Amino acid sequence: MRIGIIGTGSIGAELTRKLGAAGHAVQVANTRGPGSLAGLAAESGAAPTALDEVCCDVDVLITSIPFGSTPTLRPIIDRLPADVPVADTSNYYPHRDGRIAEIDDGTAEGVWIERHLGRPVVRAWNALLSTTLAGRARPQGAADRLAVPVAGGGPGAKEIVMGLVDDTGFDPVDAGTVDDTWRMQAGAPGYCTELTAAQLQEVLAHTDPDAVVVRREAVMAIIGSWPPGSSSFFDDVLALYRAAAGPTLTAARA
């Protein structure tokens, strides 16, 4: 497929590598311009593209930028043909994005993104740590293959994105509609806890929306108290999210 990717942070850059390695034709863009993408392009085979051109001639567009910056993409998305699926990998982190009253009041992140982009959006890859995406991909059928929840999207869009999740080395799990995207947000037991497909399906069915918010705030406060520069940071984050999920996760992993 012809895939456009906006954003070259840890998730966007890794998706560029993995989707290129899977045989897709990837063009990638960021706010710094094509000149900043020479290294990633040489490594992945992706085509560096200007931000206002990345939506031209693509079958799928993936957005991977900080959650609070999503509304800035609207002019670009408005030029994208209506039948081209949009997938988003971002997460709401209040300490980075600022407080967003709608989400704090219970609006699912996927719903908020759709309102600001003006079209259906598929949520995918947001529930993985960047180290998980980079280092835990496995071939189809592997016993230790991990899963990725995928939710939202218009007719056929979710299925296309689920196929791309599979191409990146993870089992896609249908997590429902855009209204269900709260089940895969920070603080949910399926968020950054490295689960198999069966385990993920179990925790998605037993996710408590009120508990998600409480756990997100608690986990972010704890992470914010850590000293910077720890070599074990991502291992510690994984352990913290697993501990925060408590009995729901313990039962699913039993």
Side-chain angles (χ1 to χ4, degrees), residues 45-97:
T49 308
L51 191 57
D52 60 357
E53 296 177 357
V54 71
C55 64
C56 300
D57 197 30
V58 295
D59 300 311
V60 179
L61 181 68
I62 300 171
T63 60
S64 189
I65 68 172
F67 186 89
S69 299
T70 299
T72 66
L73 297 179
R74 180 63 182 266
I76 296 170
I77 300 298
D78 282 346
R79 296 198 297 272
L80 192 68
D83 61 344
V84 174
V86 175
D88 180 80
T89 77
S90 67
N91 292 288
Y92 172 49
Y93 298 138
H95 67 279
R96 180 198 62 196
D97 301 313

Side-chain angles (χ1 to χ4, degrees), residues 40-248:
L40 180 59
E43 180 184 358
S44 65
T49 308
L51 191 57
D52 60 357
E53 296 177 357
V54 71
C55 64
C56 300
D57 197 30
V58 295
D59 300 311
V60 179
L61 181 68
I62 300 171
T63 60
S64 189
I65 68 172
F67 186 89
S69 299
T70 299
T72 66
L73 297 179
R74 180 63 182 266
I76 296 170
I77 300 298
D78 282 346
R79 296 198 297 272
L80 192 68
D83 61 344
V84 174
V86 175
D88 180 80
T89 77
S90 67
N91 292 288
Y92 172 49
Y93 298 138
H95 67 279
R96 180 198 62 196
D97 301 313
R99 286 289 174 183
I100 300 175
E102 293 172 80
I103 296 176
D104 288 342
D105 290 341
T107 298
E109 291 177 16
V111 173
W112 188 87
I113 290 173
E114 287 194 348
R115 288 176 183 170
H116 285 277
L117 294 187
R119 62 187 293 155
V121 174
V122 183
R123 298 276 279 157
W125 295 290
N126 70 295
L128 291 181
L129 291 167
S130 59
T131 49
T132 304
L133 178 61
R136 292 297 308 274
R138 298 290 187 272
Q140 286 183 357
D144 61 344
R145 200 182 205 214
L146 301 178
V148 170
V150 183
K158 187 193 312 184
E159 289 73 16
I160 291 172
V161 175
M162 290 176 75
L164 296 179
V165 167
D166 187 33
D167 288 345
T168 59
F170 298 86
D171 284 333
V173 170
D174 191 333
T177 70
V178 68
D179 293 318
D180 297 311
T181 53
W182 60 269
R183 298 179 186 273
M184 50 199 287
Q185 295 174 186
Y191 179 86
C192 295
T193 50
E194 293 192 347
L195 303 177
T196 66
Q199 292 167 345
L200 180 58
Q201 289 168 340
E202 177 70 14
V203 300
L204 286 171
H206 293 92
T207 302
D208 179 343
D210 294 328
V212 168
V213 176
V214 171
R215 292 168 184 161
R216 182 195 70 206
E217 297 297 318
V219 167
M220 292 300 169
I222 292 170
I223 292 174
S225 73
W226 292 348
S230 170
S231 60
S232 64
F233 177 80
F234 289 106
D235 290 337
D236 293 337
V237 170
L238 173 63
L240 181 59
Y241 273 115
R242 283 179 167 176
T248 301

